[in-house]
Amino acid sequence: MARVSMSIEGLDAVSDVLAKVGPREARNLLRNTVHAVAGQLRDDMRQRAPKDEGTLRKAITAKREKMRGNQVASNITITHGKAVRHNAFYWHMVEYGTVKDQAQPFITPSVEAMLPQIPGIFTREFGAKYQDLMQRKLKAARKRK
């Protein structure tokens, strides 16, 4: 299984904002932001995947991981097996090719294209999620009055 792990550093403004909100809100903001970035990568992979009957594209999913300590993660997987709705057991044959078929990579180009953009995407998604959180808090405060 191919596994890509990344860490984003140098987002001091994000750290400052997280210090100002409560721990629960900060954790949820980070989880939502990381999952939104993973969702964008998933969408890019779906666009690059070859479309025969569409099973491979539908099988590419993003799923949040449980937090372990301060680690926030979201995985992009390709579902396969008998018990799943979209069985794309052949994804690695498409990505890497076989003796008879040429490779049609869709994972590697997506990751390589997004790597330089991730800090910007993260900051933009974080800002949108933070703004939504503040609007919900304002609405809840108005209801209490």
Side-chain angles (χ1 to χ4, degrees):
M1 173 196 290
R3 186 166 189 92
V4 175
S5 180
M6 59 186 81
S7 172
I8 302 173
E9 296 178 9
L11 298 173
D12 297 329
V14 171
S15 304
D16 295 342
V17 170
L18 290 176
K20 293 177 184 174
V21 297
R24 182 177 178 193
E25 287 88 3
R27 183 185 70 232
N28 289 337
L29 259 172
L30 278 177
R31 286 182 68 219
N32 291 338
T33 303
V34 167
H35 191 65
V37 172
Q40 287 188 17
L41 182 57
R42 175 206 58 213
D43 294 343
D44 190 55
M45 284 181 190
R46 281 181 176 171
Q47 285 180 338
R48 291 176 190 261
K51 182 179 180 182
D52 292 330
E53 62 273 347
T55 302
L56 180 57
R57 287 183 176 189
K58 292 174 187 171
I60 301 170
T61 61
K63 182 179 177 186
R64 284 189 180 132
E65 283 289 312
K66 274 191 163 185
M67 283 188 67
R68 293 191 177 116
N70 290 333
Q71 184 179 2
V72 180
S74 200
N75 290 329
I76 300 169
T77 59
I78 300 175
T79 59
H80 58 281
K82 292 181 181 179
V84 297
R85 186 173 186 181
H86 305 290
N87 183 8
F89 65 91
Y90 55 89
W91 71 268
H92 61 285
M93 295 178 219
V94 175
E95 177 74 11
Y96 302 112
T98 63
V99 174
K100 295 182 180 180
D101 293 322
Q102 188 174 358
Q104 297 176 326
F106 60 97
I107 297 172
T108 307
S110 293
V111 172
E112 288 175 355
M114 288 227 14
L115 276 176
Q117 300 173 13
I118 286 182
I121 293 170
F122 188 89
T123 304
R124 186 175 60 247
E125 287 294 331
F126 182 82
K129 302 290 182 196
Y130 181 71
Q131 188 175 11
D132 290 344
L133 173 69
M134 291 300 116
Q135 286 176 350
R136 284 194 312 272
K137 284 185 163 273
L138 182 62
K139 186 176 179 181
R142 287 181 183 159
K143 275 188 175 180
R144 280 187 249 139
K145 284 186 179 183

